[in-house]
Amino acid sequence: MFKEIRNKYLRYTLIVGYAIVIFICAVEINFLWLFGYSPTSRDINMPAQHVASELYTADSVLIGRYFKEDRSPVPYDSISPNVTNALIATEDIRFFQHHGVDFRAVFSSLLSTAQGDRRGASTITQQLAKNLYRTRYDQAEGLLGRIPGIGLVINKFKEWVTAYKLESKYSKESIITMYLNTVSFSNNAYGIKTVAKRYFNKQPSDLTAAEAAVLIGMLKGTTLYNPVRNPDRSVERRNIVLSQMQKAGFLSAEAYQEARATPLRLSFGTEEEAAREDSYLRAAVEKWLEAWCAENGYDIYEDGLKIYTTIDSRMQRHAEETVAEQMKTLQRRLENAWQGEIPWRNSNGEVIDGFLENLASRTSYYRQLNERYKGNKDSIFHYLNQPKTMQVFTWDGPREVQYSSMDSLAHYAMMLNAGMMSMDPYNGEIKVWVGGINHQYYQYDHVFQAKRQAGSTFKPFAYLAALEAGMSPCDKYVDKAVRITYTEKGEEKVWEPKNADWVFSGRDMSLRWAMGKSVNSITAQITEEVGWDKVVDAAKRSGITSPLASVPSVSLGSNDVSVFEMVNAYATFMNKGRRVDPILVSRIVAMDGRTVATFKPRDTQVISEEVAWLMTYMLRGSMEEPEGTSQALWEWDLWKENNQIGGKTGTSSDYVDGWYMGVTKDLVTGVWVGCDERSIHFKNSQTGEGSRTALPIFGKYMEKLYHDNALGYTYGPFPEAGVPINRQYNCPSPRIIHRDSTQTDSISPLRLPDSPALEEPLDMEELKRQLDGSRQITSVDKTKGEATEWYRPARKG
């Protein structure tokens, strides 16, 4: 065909033209995989910017972000002209004249390079093409790209083609906006909004000429001209950018001199900390949305979602502050208890040999040493015992110490941890999630991941089974020794539970009194009577999802469960017997403002409304019954306006785990306290019971909520029963009369800390006056050792 064209110049021109067209087509279709990936029309129409997703509380407070590349896009009109002017003046002065490739700059660059002065000629559009589509990365290369020189030519050509595609699709303002939203400023900071917040604590629209010049100046060398690492070089580069802005007519001589004379004033924003510091809540939400993202094709690390949780930031702050205050005290108490002694012990109190060595063997450092020294333990532990300077977590702040790896393991194993969750029982919204004491040092979540023996907090499920079997809160059992024979896996076993104080009183006790006082012997009796399978079933229906061994001890909390499960199960009592699936995320909004998901709780009627109401009445017994285990709550300002609180303490064997489950008319809250290593724990009930570890966290937390008027949580009684209650429940419990060695009768145990012992003979009016707000006391029968009605003292002051 070309031979028929007699004019050789035209013939050669056509040949070259055809060759260029064929080459372009070959590059575009990646012919024989020679040229690698090129952006398609769809890629140009929908450029992927890998935008960080933002995590918000229910009251719209930003609490974290998810990102692979830390960026938050902003529109063109939210970027100061100082930024765009600085960029154009230094990177692409003919930006508004070319169509993606500035051939004048290309030829000038070639000429300068030939003279030994290498200059770049990439336009802003070409740089955008490189940022968006990674045209120079390995995954974009074909077979020819691996040949030195040829690969560079092909990549540059693809950049040119992509730049032309971008220019044909987008306006100049859109291109410069996309560039400023995608360009890297090092340290995983992408985009002008992120870097403006990081270094000047400003929005991009508020940047001055001097500040814009600092940031744009970084693009020539993000490390070399970093204003934190190299402030002098940063100022030098800033002034060059300002000079270019003046030459381009973007700054007057006066403005240039003023900006040049401005000191480098950095003001670090909080966005870097919020974006980079992980948290228990952030990790929990990521896990929560894992299935949703897989089903709906979203990536929270790239798709720029706004994720709104059900968490209330104010309640979360109160909870975190309370946990920190109490845990600091408890840590000191634990260390004092073991001062001068090795704390890791078995159930017989004997030191566990090889405890630290076993911990060390689980670490990645141990595995590295094991591989390097081929299992030679002498060499491995030689290095593990070498002291070095390190920083460790303490409640007085990070401390620099000279510790070996083994010392560090001992330090962290000795630290008490905590988990706390608070939830609205009616709509399932989780309001507070405290996964531990410090996520930087302890990333294991103690709300959802950790499962520990629940101790006596599990007893209500035994009483639930009893009520469902037809019993009433007033039914009585004798506090006596119990022996239960049962078969487990074909083996006959005997269980003889002891009470917490190792005493069987011989008293007749109502179910409500027994649960309120947490009497093991009576709980064991009703478990035997209704069947432990029924206790397991009651717990499962209420919301416990962990495997439960169906054995007699199940009702005393011998199984491992999570704080999350326990809060969910207790919420079923408050929600009229309807188990509601807790929700942590309420809605998700896409980058374009569309709400792409809303999450509503699902609830199921699992307990009759009558029995559920009776269970809330039973839970109040720990405050209202004699020697109820929640009565330490009188210490806090919780008892105004006839407020009612129900709850249950729990302590596992050897004081390893301390629990408190608290319910009010508005919230259900669960608290766990203990060491991650179960062989480290308190020594006795005076220091390690749930009433002394977990309960104070609940008390302080609720006091903070009631005192924070902005939250709207008010004092008040539990809801009245919404259905007829057809069994006896409002039964008087005996008033305990203790006789001391002088045979003087005295009333205890619910006197206030600042009150003297109250001795018989009693003046009823004087007693009521001292107890300030008690229920009616009609009489005390000294011969029977009981009162006709129990009283509830109110906190003085």
Side-chain angles (χ1 to χ4, degrees), residues 237-533:
R237 177 62 185 162
R238 177 201 70 178
N239 292 342
I240 293 173
V241 174
L242 291 171
S243 176
Q244 293 294 101
M245 292 174 70
Q246 185 196 13
K247 288 179 184 178
F250 295 132
L251 286 179
S252 66
E254 294 79 9
Y256 164 68
Q257 291 298 337
E258 181 181 348
R260 183 183 174 89
T262 302
L264 180 63
R265 296 192 186 97
L266 300 180
S267 176
F268 300 105
T270 57
E271 185 154 325
E272 178 181 14
E273 182 179 345
R276 300 177 67 84
E277 183 178 314
D278 206 350
S279 68
Y280 295 105
L281 188 54
R282 180 182 177 278
V285 170
E286 181 180 3
K287 183 70 176 174
W288 197 274
L289 293 178
E290 198 174 74
W292 179 86
C293 288
E295 291 172 6
N296 295 278
Y298 283 97
D299 185 338
I300 61 174
Y301 282 87
E302 295 185 347
D303 291 340
L305 304 172
K306 291 190 187 310
I307 303 164
Y308 290 89
T309 68
T310 57
I311 299 294
D312 187 296
S313 66
R314 300 159 297 180
M315 295 172 68
Q316 181 75 15
R317 184 180 69 253
H318 289 318
E320 290 176 352
E321 288 174 353
T322 301
V323 168
E325 291 165 5
Q326 178 66 6
M327 294 304 290
K328 182 176 182 179
T329 301
L330 290 175
Q331 186 63 42
R332 191 182 309 116
R333 185 191 300 171
L334 179 67
E335 291 170 358
N336 289 340
W338 289 103
Q339 195 167 26
E341 298 182 70
I342 296 175
W344 38 89
R345 311 265 173 153
N346 61 24
S347 57
N348 296 321
E350 301 162 337
V351 174
I352 300 173
D353 292 332
F355 173 81
L356 284 181
E357 289 76 6
N358 182 51
L359 282 185
S361 67
R362 303 181 213 163
T363 65
S364 58
Y365 185 40
Y366 181 94
R367 289 191 291 271
Q368 293 170 14
L369 293 173
N370 189 53
E371 186 175 343
R372 183 187 306 171
Y373 295 107
K374 304 189 184 325
N376 186 314
K377 293 197 173 181
D378 288 340
S379 298
I380 293 170
F381 283 102
H382 169 77
Y383 283 96
L384 288 174
N385 283 292
Q386 288 291 314
K388 49 186 173 287
T389 302
M390 64 175 67
Q391 196 176 74
V392 297
F393 169 78
T394 75
W395 282 109
D396 295 319
R399 189 173 79 223
E400 191 171 282
V401 293
Q402 287 291 318
Y403 274 1
S404 69
S405 296
M406 301 299 282
D407 295 332
S408 175
L409 285 171
H411 172 81
Y412 285 114
M414 187 67 178
M415 295 295 295
L416 284 166
N417 225 307
M420 179 178 180
M421 174 177 151
S422 199
M423 174 178 133
D424 185 320
Y426 309 110
N427 61 23
E429 292 185 355
I430 299 171
K431 296 299 183 183
V432 160
W433 185 297
V434 182
I437 57 173
N438 188 298
H439 189 271
Q440 181 181 349
Y441 296 94
Y442 297 92
Q443 296 186 4
Y444 197 60
D445 188 300
H446 298 84
V447 169
F448 192 77
Q449 288 179 297
K451 297 188 178 184
R452 304 294 288 249
Q453 285 192 353
S456 294
T457 57
F458 209 84
K459 286 177 180 174
F461 304 117
Y463 291 89
L464 168 60
L467 293 179
E468 290 187 319
M471 299 184 199
S472 81
C474 295
D475 288 348
K476 292 187 176 183
Y477 285 77
V478 178
D479 177 15
K480 63 182 181 180
V482 178
R483 178 184 173 89
I484 299 176
T485 302
Y486 66 103
T487 301
E488 183 181 11
K489 297 179 181 178
E491 180 183 352
E492 188 172 287
K493 295 185 176 182
V494 174
W495 183 51
E496 297 180 277
K498 302 293 187 290
N499 286 334
D501 58 3
W502 294 82
V503 173
F504 300 108
S505 67
R507 300 175 188 146
D508 280 342
M509 304 183 74
S510 68
L511 292 190
R512 188 178 192 245
W513 186 12
M515 191 175 101
K517 190 177 183 297
S518 199
V519 181
N520 291 345
S521 67
I522 293 178
T523 305
Q525 290 176 61
I526 65 171
T527 300
E528 182 178 28
E529 186 169 330
V530 302
W532 36 92
D533 286 345

Side-chain angles (χ1 to χ4, degrees), residues 77-330:
D77 57 8
S78 294
I79 302 172
S80 168
N82 289 317
V83 176
T84 54
N85 292 341
L87 179 63
I88 291 169
T90 54
E91 297 291 325
D92 191 359
I93 192 62
R94 287 174 30 82
F95 175 69
F96 286 101
Q97 282 75 53
H98 62 69
H99 298 286
V101 180
D102 187 352
F103 286 106
R104 184 189 300 180
V106 171
F107 292 130
S108 175
S109 174
L110 291 173
L111 182 61
S112 298
T113 300
Q115 295 174 346
D117 180 16
R118 297 189 64 180
R119 294 182 186 175
S122 291
T123 63
I124 290 173
T125 315
Q126 286 175 250
Q127 293 179 50
L128 175 61
K130 182 175 64 176
N131 293 343
L132 285 179
Y133 307 111
R134 301 180 178 270
T135 54
R136 296 187 185 181
Y137 284 70
D138 291 341
Q139 58 265 38
E141 287 188 349
L143 297 175
L144 291 177
R146 299 173 186 175
I147 302 174
I150 294 179
L152 179 62
V153 171
I154 292 174
N155 286 337
K156 178 59 72 172
F157 180 77
K158 287 195 293 185
E159 259 180 34
W160 287 0
V161 173
T162 305
Y164 272 112
K165 290 178 182 178
L166 287 169
E167 290 272 349
S168 64
K169 173 67 179 175
Y170 299 104
S171 67
K172 290 290 186 179
E173 287 80 6
S174 296
I175 288 171
I176 204 167
T177 302
M178 282 193 285
Y179 175 82
L180 285 169
N181 281 326
T182 57
V183 66
S184 171
F185 288 89
S186 82
N187 295 325
N188 204 24
Y190 289 80
I192 190 64
K193 179 179 178 181
T194 300
V195 78
K197 188 74 174 176
R198 180 171 295 187
Y199 293 114
F200 295 108
N201 198 21
K202 285 186 175 183
Q203 294 297 321
S205 57
D206 300 325
L207 291 171
T208 65
E211 292 165 344
V214 169
L215 301 181
I216 297 302
M218 289 177 65
L219 298 179
K220 188 174 179 64
T222 53
T223 300
L224 184 63
Y225 299 112
N226 186 293
V228 175
R229 296 183 181 180
N230 299 300
D232 293 337
R233 286 178 175 170
S234 176
V235 170
E236 181 183 338
R237 177 62 185 162
R238 177 201 70 178
N239 292 342
I240 293 173
V241 174
L242 291 171
S243 176
Q244 293 294 101
M245 292 174 70
Q246 185 196 13
K247 288 179 184 178
F250 295 132
L251 286 179
S252 66
E254 294 79 9
Y256 164 68
Q257 291 298 337
E258 181 181 348
R260 183 183 174 89
T262 302
L264 180 63
R265 296 192 186 97
L266 300 180
S267 176
F268 300 105
T270 57
E271 185 154 325
E272 178 181 14
E273 182 179 345
R276 300 177 67 84
E277 183 178 314
D278 206 350
S279 68
Y280 295 105
L281 188 54
R282 180 182 177 278
V285 170
E286 181 180 3
K287 183 70 176 174
W288 197 274
L289 293 178
E290 198 174 74
W292 179 86
C293 288
E295 291 172 6
N296 295 278
Y298 283 97
D299 185 338
I300 61 174
Y301 282 87
E302 295 185 347
D303 291 340
L305 304 172
K306 291 190 187 310
I307 303 164
Y308 290 89
T309 68
T310 57
I311 299 294
D312 187 296
S313 66
R314 300 159 297 180
M315 295 172 68
Q316 181 75 15
R317 184 180 69 253
H318 289 318
E320 290 176 352
E321 288 174 353
T322 301
V323 168
E325 291 165 5
Q326 178 66 6
M327 294 304 290
K328 182 176 182 179
T329 301
L330 290 175

Side-chain angles (χ1 to χ4, degrees), residues 59 62 93 327 355 492 601 619 627 779:
D59 49 332
L62 177 66
I93 192 62
M327 294 304 290
F355 173 81
E492 188 172 287
L619 287 171
E627 301 173 308
S779 65

Side-chain angles (χ1 to χ4, degrees), residues 764-781:
M764 290 297 115
E765 293 303 314
E766 174 62 14
L767 176 59
K768 283 187 278 187
R769 187 190 67 76
Q770 288 193 41
L771 294 175
D772 185 21
S774 65
R775 282 165 52 183
Q776 183 181 2
I777 302 174
T778 55
S779 65
V780 175
D781 187 331

